[in-house]
């Protein structure tokens, strides 16, 4: 396995949340054939955020600060894309976590 360009473990909470939101906005086009490793890492980080109420609040605050409706829609579509990937991989626990995060963000849309 090649090392990642970005070491997500070295990012601050705020940088990680911003990275996740930007990445979600980009993956709406269904590119998971080439991005399995990145999807797995992203799923793990989303799970870590879900395990901390403070992180969930920061994620929601960061999402609320986004002015562009289309960017918010792209993020939600990216979450749907992640859910689709993990359903295909039959990893239903992470699907449930992502759906919970999606539902929280949709309330702020």
């Amino acid at each position: 396995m090649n090392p990642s360009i970005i070491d997500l473990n070295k990012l601050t909470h705020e940088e990680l949340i911003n990275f996740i939101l930007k990445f979600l906005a980009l993956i709406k086009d269904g590119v998971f054939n080439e991005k399995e490793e990145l999807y797995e890492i992203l799923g793990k980080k989303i799970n870590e955020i879900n395990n901390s109420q403070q992180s969930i609040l920061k994620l929601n605050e960061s999402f609320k600060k986004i002015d562009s409706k289309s960017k918010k829609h792209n993020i939600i579509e990216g979450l749907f894309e992640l859910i689709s990937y993990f359903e295909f991989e039959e990893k239903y626990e992470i699907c449930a976590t992502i759906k919970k995060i999606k539902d929280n963000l949709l309330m702020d849309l």
Side-chain angles (χ1 to χ4, degrees):
M1 179 184 335
N2 294 332
S4 299
I5 294 172
I6 298 173
D7 185 355
L8 296 179
N9 294 320
K10 292 185 180 179
L11 297 179
T12 66
H13 248 36
E14 192 169 319
E15 290 171 332
L16 178 63
I17 287 169
N18 287 332
F19 173 81
I20 288 172
L21 291 175
K22 287 177 184 178
F23 182 77
L24 287 170
L26 294 173
I27 65 170
K28 70 176 184 102
D29 295 325
V31 293
F32 59 73
N33 288 339
E34 302 139 11
K35 307 292 184 202
E36 291 98 352
E37 181 182 356
L38 191 50
Y39 276 37
E40 293 291 335
I41 292 169
L42 190 58
K44 180 181 173 189
K45 293 301 177 181
I46 287 174
N47 195 38
E48 288 176 15
I49 288 172
N50 186 58
N51 290 332
S52 166
Q53 188 63 32
Q54 182 180 9
S55 295
I56 292 172
L57 291 174
K58 284 184 181 181
L59 177 67
N60 289 346
E61 288 172 12
S62 295
F63 186 75
K64 285 179 190 178
K65 289 179 185 177
I66 297 171
D67 292 331
S68 169
K69 281 268 191 195
S70 64
K71 187 171 181 180
K72 285 184 176 183
H73 287 281
N74 289 346
I75 290 168
I76 298 301
E77 288 180 37
L79 285 168
F80 279 116
E81 198 63 42
L82 269 181
I83 291 167
S84 175
Y85 169 78
F86 285 109
E87 283 178 347
F88 179 78
E89 294 293 318
E90 297 181 359
K91 296 181 179 179
Y92 302 114
E93 187 174 308
I94 189 70
C95 287
T97 300
I98 296 169
K99 287 177 184 178
K100 180 181 171 187
I101 296 287
K102 173 193 58 72
D103 291 344
N104 283 337
L105 294 180
L106 278 173
M107 291 192 315
D108 295 323
L109 188 62

